[in-house]
Amino acid sequence: MSNISDKLYCVKLTDYTANPDLTFELLSSLETYFSSYEDRESGAMYLVAYSETPEGGRELAERINACLPFWSEAGAIFSDVEEFELAREEWSEVWKKYFHIIHIADNLVIRPSWLKYTPQPGQAVVNIDPGMSFGTGQHATTAYCLKVLAQNAQKQEYKSVLDAGCGSGILAIAAKLLGYAPVTAYDYDPDCVSVTLENMQCNDLTTQDIDLFAADATTYAAPQEFDLACVNILSPILCAHAPRIISWVRKDGLLALAGILSQDFDNLSEIFTAAGAVELDRFTEKEWTSGLFRRVR
């Protein structure tokens, strides 16, 4: 009788299909087990299949790669096929393999809760557990807003921050730890507000540190004009409510706009320019483009 291996031979792929029924139907043809982790920030699903032998793992990878063209014709969007080995006891937490400490800037680091990290002097460290949050710093749009916060943290003219569409609360938490005050955060989804509160507690912050509540960006009227606002929401909402969004910051205040498909960004920039802002910067990664705007009137 052969001994059970203490290793599993895994194949990972990323699913952007956004149709669980189609994904399940296609993967079921492989007649193997999958574990999955959904990143609700990027809309991607990480799928990991395994075999108990190296030969089985290689065969599984070959079968998946051979199926990709046919799955694409069926409307599925899979990418990034990767083979790796995993200790058997780690299978239930396989998704943790894809999250690492992220150095946003010299003064800002994002740390998954299970990893150890010793901060450098003057460095803010945001503790985030990807297993319970909708924003981890991994996605290009979130990372851009984090960089804007880090770059402007020591400038006296930018103190108050609004995080509109806060998701996991990562931006508001980073802002507070970087020294911004006051910091305000809201999201349309009450679940996101609950998750933000949990993540605040993981960073020893309370509602005394961050003003947190549920609100709708399409109707929200800021009780004050902020120095800097991070607005990480879908471009149709941004475009439809540009004057309202610009009004959230004072004249010469900054707007970091994210969550925008690259094909839509030129149009968005024109709309915000006409509404009273000027584009200062843009950054593109994969299919996403984010931008920094200044209110000029």
Side-chain angles (χ1 to χ4, degrees), residues 157-177:
E157 63 266 39
Y158 304 117
K159 303 303 294 182
S160 59
V161 167
L162 171 67
D163 179 5
C166 60
S168 69
I170 187 172
L171 300 180
I173 293 168
K176 186 62 182 180
L177 296 181

Side-chain angles (χ1 to χ4, degrees), residues 2-297:
S2 61
N3 293 327
I4 297 177
S5 171
D6 62 354
K7 288 184 179 181
L8 296 174
Y9 300 88
C10 304
V11 183
K12 184 271 293 186
L13 65 160
T14 306
D15 176 19
Y16 292 96
T17 304
N19 184 340
D21 293 336
L22 177 59
T23 295
F24 177 79
E25 181 179 350
L26 296 175
L27 294 182
S28 64
S29 65
L30 297 175
E31 298 181 345
T32 189
Y33 293 104
F34 277 85
S35 178
S36 64
Y37 168 70
E38 182 183 8
D39 183 345
R40 288 176 61 183
E41 178 186 346
S42 66
M45 179 77 75
Y46 298 109
L47 303 166
V48 183
Y50 75 90
S51 171
E52 296 188 344
T53 67
E55 297 78 13
R58 285 194 296 271
E59 179 185 356
L60 186 57
E62 291 171 358
R63 290 170 62 198
I64 289 174
N65 279 304
C67 287
L68 288 179
F70 304 101
W71 289 348
S72 178
E73 292 179 5
I77 307 172
F78 296 111
S79 64
D80 305 324
V81 178
E82 174 191 345
E83 298 178 61
F84 63 94
E85 296 180 7
L86 187 73
R88 181 179 292 272
E89 64 269 18
E90 294 179 8
W91 171 250
S92 63
E93 296 186 339
V94 66
W95 50 267
K96 288 186 177 181
K97 172 182 173 67
Y98 306 106
F99 295 91
H100 310 282
I101 291 170
I102 306 172
H103 292 263
I104 298 296
D106 290 342
N107 60 341
L108 181 60
V109 170
I110 309 301
R111 183 184 77 92
S113 61
W114 63 89
L115 296 179
K116 294 182 179 179
Y117 181 76
T118 302
Q120 301 299 309
Q123 199 170 64
V125 179
V126 178
N127 300 312
I128 289 288
D129 184 350
M132 67 177 185
S133 60
F134 314 140
T136 63
Q138 302 266 345
H139 194 270
T141 59
T142 308
Y144 182 83
C145 291
L146 288 168
K147 289 175 183 176
V148 169
L149 290 170
Q151 290 167 359
N152 291 283
Q154 303 305 317
K155 299 178 181 179
Q156 291 302 312
E157 63 266 39
Y158 304 117
K159 303 303 294 182
S160 59
V161 167
L162 171 67
D163 179 5
C166 60
S168 69
I170 187 172
L171 300 180
I173 293 168
K176 186 62 182 180
L177 296 181
L178 284 166
Y180 290 95
V183 176
T184 299
Y186 74 82
D187 200 283
Y188 177 79
D189 186 346
D191 288 339
C192 291
V193 175
S194 298
V195 169
T196 294
L197 183 58
E198 292 176 4
N199 283 330
M200 287 166 54
Q201 294 168 346
C202 289
N203 288 273
D204 298 321
L205 298 175
T206 70
T207 52
Q208 298 288 321
D209 301 298
I210 298 173
D211 183 16
L212 174 66
F213 50 91
D216 187 339
T218 65
T219 59
Y220 174 68
Q224 68 182 84
E225 293 181 340
F226 293 88
D227 298 323
L228 194 163
C230 294
V231 190
N232 190 359
I233 56 181
L234 297 176
S235 59
I237 297 176
L238 292 173
C239 292
H241 299 276
R244 175 184 297 276
I245 292 168
I246 292 173
S247 75
W248 296 342
V249 299
R250 60 169 172 79
K251 185 179 180 182
D252 294 324
L254 298 179
L255 280 168
L257 304 182
I260 307 151
L261 290 170
S262 297
Q263 64 196 36
D264 299 330
F265 193 87
D266 284 340
N267 179 59
L268 178 141
S269 183
E270 291 177 3
I271 290 173
F272 271 79
T273 298
V278 61
E279 181 184 333
L280 302 179
D281 175 64
R282 69 171 66 184
F283 175 77
T284 298
E285 183 174 334
K286 295 183 178 179
E287 69 270 32
W288 301 97
T289 296
S290 304
L292 184 65
F293 293 76
R294 185 188 304 280
R295 179 179 176 179
V296 293
R297 66 173 187 268

